[in-house]
Amino acid sequence: QVQLVDSGGGLVQAGGSLTISCAASGRTFSSYSMAWFRQAPGKERELVAVVSYGGDRTYYADSVKGRFTISRDNAKNTVYLQMNSLKPGDTAVYYCAASTGWPKVAAVQYIYWGQGTQVTVSS
């Protein structure tokens, strides 16, 4: 069992940066691929980025490639999403999620979910 707690969201101006975090409980954190998803009002939940168990492999949605960076610290049981050059279109609730195996790009493939953290980008 893994419990995930998302934090770090907030209001930022377009072009700004923000880093959100996901703290995991449980001793098996390093056994899971970790992802960030986001969901804007009236839209489907979409994958943003995934990082493998050891942090050596990553995957990004085209919409964030080159602007966002996913990373993890297995010693701290934490996964991060650094977001640069933010756009109003990035406004959403961001959720971290855990899955076994690699790569997993569909939300239904993720077992554990954080509660979400709101990111709002003003124009």
mmCIF file of all heavy atoms in Angstrom, residues 38-46 88-92:
data_model
loop_
_atom_site.group_PDB
_atom_site.id
_atom_site.type_symbol
_atom_site.label_atom_id
_atom_site.label_comp_id
_atom_site.label_asym_id
_atom_site.label_seq_id
_atom_site.Cartn_x
_atom_site.Cartn_y
_atom_site.Cartn_z
ATOM 1 N N ARG A 38 -2.856 15.601 -15.030
ATOM 2 C CA ARG A 38 -3.559 16.841 -14.727
ATOM 3 C C ARG A 38 -4.970 16.788 -15.322
ATOM 4 O O ARG A 38 -5.223 16.073 -16.286
ATOM 5 C CB ARG A 38 -2.820 18.069 -15.264
ATOM 6 C CG ARG A 38 -2.732 18.167 -16.777
ATOM 7 C CD ARG A 38 -1.831 19.349 -17.175
ATOM 8 N NE ARG A 38 -1.756 19.504 -18.622
ATOM 9 C CZ ARG A 38 -0.963 20.378 -19.228
ATOM 10 N NH1 ARG A 38 -0.151 21.167 -18.518
ATOM 11 N NH2 ARG A 38 -0.960 20.471 -20.551
ATOM 12 N N GLN A 39 -5.854 17.543 -14.688
ATOM 13 C CA GLN A 39 -7.229 17.603 -15.155
ATOM 14 C C GLN A 39 -7.740 19.026 -15.018
ATOM 15 O O GLN A 39 -7.792 19.572 -13.905
ATOM 16 C CB GLN A 39 -8.124 16.634 -14.370
ATOM 17 C CG GLN A 39 -9.516 16.521 -14.942
ATOM 18 C CD GLN A 39 -10.278 15.338 -14.376
ATOM 19 O OE1 GLN A 39 -9.935 14.793 -13.324
ATOM 20 N NE2 GLN A 39 -11.306 14.909 -15.084
ATOM 21 N N ALA A 40 -8.093 19.595 -16.145
ATOM 22 C CA ALA A 40 -8.680 20.928 -16.179
ATOM 23 C C ALA A 40 -10.203 20.795 -16.144
ATOM 24 O O ALA A 40 -10.743 19.742 -16.522
ATOM 25 C CB ALA A 40 -8.235 21.664 -17.433
ATOM 26 N N PRO A 41 -10.907 21.826 -15.715
ATOM 27 C CA PRO A 41 -12.376 21.754 -15.657
ATOM 28 C C PRO A 41 -12.977 21.387 -16.998
ATOM 29 O O PRO A 41 -12.627 21.962 -18.038
ATOM 30 C CB PRO A 41 -12.773 23.178 -15.240
ATOM 31 C CG PRO A 41 -11.596 23.705 -14.510
ATOM 32 C CD PRO A 41 -10.399 23.111 -15.197
ATOM 33 N N GLY A 42 -13.851 20.402 -16.978
ATOM 34 C CA GLY A 42 -14.540 19.987 -18.194
ATOM 35 C C GLY A 42 -13.714 19.153 -19.148
ATOM 36 O O GLY A 42 -14.168 18.840 -20.255
ATOM 37 N N LYS A 43 -12.497 18.772 -18.728
ATOM 38 C CA LYS A 43 -11.622 17.996 -19.608
ATOM 39 C C LYS A 43 -11.265 16.669 -18.980
ATOM 40 O O LYS A 43 -11.382 16.480 -17.772
ATOM 41 C CB LYS A 43 -10.354 18.786 -19.930
ATOM 42 C CG LYS A 43 -10.603 20.043 -20.758
ATOM 43 C CD LYS A 43 -9.302 20.654 -21.208
ATOM 44 C CE LYS A 43 -9.547 21.853 -22.116
ATOM 45 N NZ LYS A 43 -8.262 22.455 -22.597
ATOM 46 N N GLU A 44 -10.801 15.748 -19.828
ATOM 47 C CA GLU A 44 -10.341 14.456 -19.349
ATOM 48 C C GLU A 44 -9.022 14.604 -18.600
ATOM 49 O O GLU A 44 -8.243 15.515 -18.866
ATOM 50 C CB GLU A 44 -10.133 13.514 -20.544
ATOM 51 C CG GLU A 44 -11.382 13.206 -21.344
ATOM 52 C CD GLU A 44 -12.255 12.196 -20.646
ATOM 53 O OE1 GLU A 44 -11.714 11.276 -20.000
ATOM 54 O OE2 GLU A 44 -13.494 12.331 -20.736
ATOM 55 N N ARG A 45 -8.784 13.673 -17.686
ATOM 56 C CA ARG A 45 -7.487 13.631 -17.016
ATOM 57 C C ARG A 45 -6.444 13.204 -18.033
ATOM 58 O O ARG A 45 -6.649 12.221 -18.753
ATOM 59 C CB ARG A 45 -7.531 12.667 -15.839
ATOM 60 C CG ARG A 45 -6.314 12.725 -14.944
ATOM 61 C CD ARG A 45 -6.533 11.947 -13.661
ATOM 62 N NE ARG A 45 -7.609 12.532 -12.853
ATOM 63 C CZ ARG A 45 -7.852 12.190 -11.592
ATOM 64 N NH1 ARG A 45 -7.091 11.277 -10.996
ATOM 65 N NH2 ARG A 45 -8.845 12.739 -10.936
ATOM 66 N N GLU A 46 -5.331 13.918 -18.096
ATOM 67 C CA GLU A 46 -4.298 13.617 -19.091
ATOM 68 C C GLU A 46 -2.938 13.417 -18.429
ATOM 69 O O GLU A 46 -2.618 14.047 -17.408
ATOM 70 C CB GLU A 46 -4.199 14.736 -20.136
ATOM 71 C CG GLU A 46 -3.769 16.076 -19.599
ATOM 72 C CD GLU A 46 -3.542 17.107 -20.699
ATOM 73 O OE1 GLU A 46 -3.598 16.772 -21.891
ATOM 74 O OE2 GLU A 46 -3.281 18.277 -20.336
ATOM 75 N N PRO A 88 -1.260 29.721 -19.516
ATOM 76 C CA PRO A 88 -2.611 29.583 -18.959
ATOM 77 C C PRO A 88 -3.227 28.217 -19.229
ATOM 78 O O PRO A 88 -3.997 27.711 -18.416
ATOM 79 C CB PRO A 88 -3.380 30.699 -19.669
ATOM 80 C CG PRO A 88 -2.350 31.749 -19.918
ATOM 81 C CD PRO A 88 -1.090 30.981 -20.253
ATOM 82 N N GLY A 89 -2.872 27.600 -20.339
ATOM 83 C CA GLY A 89 -3.368 26.272 -20.674
ATOM 84 C C GLY A 89 -2.866 25.185 -19.754
ATOM 85 O O GLY A 89 -3.371 24.056 -19.803
ATOM 86 N N ASP A 90 -1.871 25.489 -18.925
ATOM 87 C CA ASP A 90 -1.376 24.512 -17.951
ATOM 88 C C ASP A 90 -2.222 24.502 -16.675
ATOM 89 O O ASP A 90 -1.992 23.678 -15.785
ATOM 90 C CB ASP A 90 0.076 24.813 -17.582
ATOM 91 C CG ASP A 90 1.029 24.661 -18.754
ATOM 92 O OD1 ASP A 90 0.879 23.676 -19.514
ATOM 93 O OD2 ASP A 90 1.914 25.522 -18.913
ATOM 94 N N THR A 91 -3.168 25.414 -16.574
ATOM 95 C CA THR A 91 -4.026 25.475 -15.398
ATOM 96 C C THR A 91 -4.834 24.196 -15.249
ATOM 97 O O THR A 91 -5.530 23.767 -16.179
ATOM 98 C CB THR A 91 -4.975 26.681 -15.495
ATOM 99 O OG1 THR A 91 -4.207 27.888 -15.467
ATOM 100 C CG2 THR A 91 -5.966 26.695 -14.332
ATOM 101 N N ALA A 92 -4.714 23.573 -14.089
ATOM 102 C CA ALA A 92 -5.385 22.289 -13.844
ATOM 103 C C ALA A 92 -5.105 21.853 -12.412
ATOM 104 O O ALA A 92 -4.266 22.437 -11.730
ATOM 105 C CB ALA A 92 -4.875 21.223 -14.811
#
